[in-house]
Amino acid sequence: MKGNIIKTIYDYKLNELQSIIKPSFRAKQVYNWIYKKYATNYLEMNNLPNILKEDLENKFPINIAKIISVEKSIDGSIKYLFEFNDKTTVEAVLLLMKDKKTDETGKITKSEQYTFCISSQVGCKVGCSFCLTAKGGFTRDLTAGEIVAQVLYLKKENNIDENKSVNIVYMGMGEPLDNYDNLVQAIKILSEENGLNINTRRQTISTSGISSKIDKLTKEDLGIQLAISLHAVDDNLRSELIPMNKAYNIQSIIDAVKRFPVDTRKKIMFEYLVIKDKNDDIKSADKLAKLLSGIEAKVNLIYFNPFEGVDYQRPSRNNMVKFQEYLLSKNVICTIRESKGLDISAACGQLKEKNKIEG
Ligand code: SAH
Ligand code: SF4
């Protein structure tokens, strides 16, 4: 974490807090208040001694973000704009879907399944030509605590039961692997059993493909899910779309993905943003199928979502379906991301397109 950034109560794993707060069982109580009872001030922590509350109040900010706007979509997804103390803002989205589950008797039940789309940076350095976040440039990395706070505040805001698990996709603003250390710390804090208890298998990092950082993740073996924003099968086009492709080309990403440990029940998600007349042809689909051979992959086709001033266009439904059918015929699992929250007037092009990443 950089020099002048103050650590907040959300920046610590439980064992770290236990080495700071004495006696250490108090740390567990604080964790319980924050992550199970959603307390956002120390005063309400009525089983803590006053002296400790004062000490915590002075040392660790607890009110670090405000929700300054909320937009609801007719399909139930909700977009939140968070403002941090330095007035910077990021978006987070709550997506709702029905999840099929089987109960003890084998009966299929349906329950509400929440997925949170969380931001990792204010802006982004990667500069993709199709992305609205890129147009605003880069302001700063989010701290681990600011990443954690988005999740916590969304759970609190929506009165989601402490025991109800949620899925997280790091697909909001920013390139998560460009903020590696803070992201990994946040993932660990979020998965603390005594905290929000969000298993790493329920957390998905979406990356534009920083191969060296994918390898770093591989070594860390967190059990996290990976989504690769591939978008093109040809390096020229991919470099036009994602300038960083010049440093980390398609083959380097595929090689890194092949080294990544995959949960046996899961697959690596490949996101493929479909742009009219750019990458929506069957030749590309064929190349994609070949590229992914030997990988436990699942392709998610995303309609390019146009915004003012951009030259690219949304593909036709017909081309999307043909692309999908071709991949399926080659035995590549492929879904089309039906836009959730399309009616939300989002400032951030991609957020409103986020849909289900399985949990
Ligand atoms: N930086 C990471 C995560 C945030 S972007 C990444 O690039 O993966 C999340 C997703 O939104 C990416 O797959 C990105 O390609 C997609 N996206 C960006 N702009 C979009 C647009 N205009 N229409 C549809 N999807 C978009
Ligand atoms: Fe950054 Fe992802 Fe947008 Fe590219 S698509 S500019 S990596 S947020």
Side-chain angles (χ1 to χ4, degrees), residues 92-110:
V93 181
L94 176 137
L95 301 162
L96 267 182
M97 32 230 141
K98 294 282 180 213
D99 192 36
K100 263 196 223 148
K101 286 227 167 77
T102 332
D103 68 12
E104 316 82 66
T105 64
K107 208 175 94 191
I108 292 178
T109 54
K110 278 194 168 181

Side-chain angles (χ1 to χ4, degrees), residues 124 126-128 130-131 133-134 174-175 208 350:
C124 186
V126 180
C128 300
F130 54 82
C131 174
T133 299
E175 167 49 51
S208 52
Q350 77 263 39

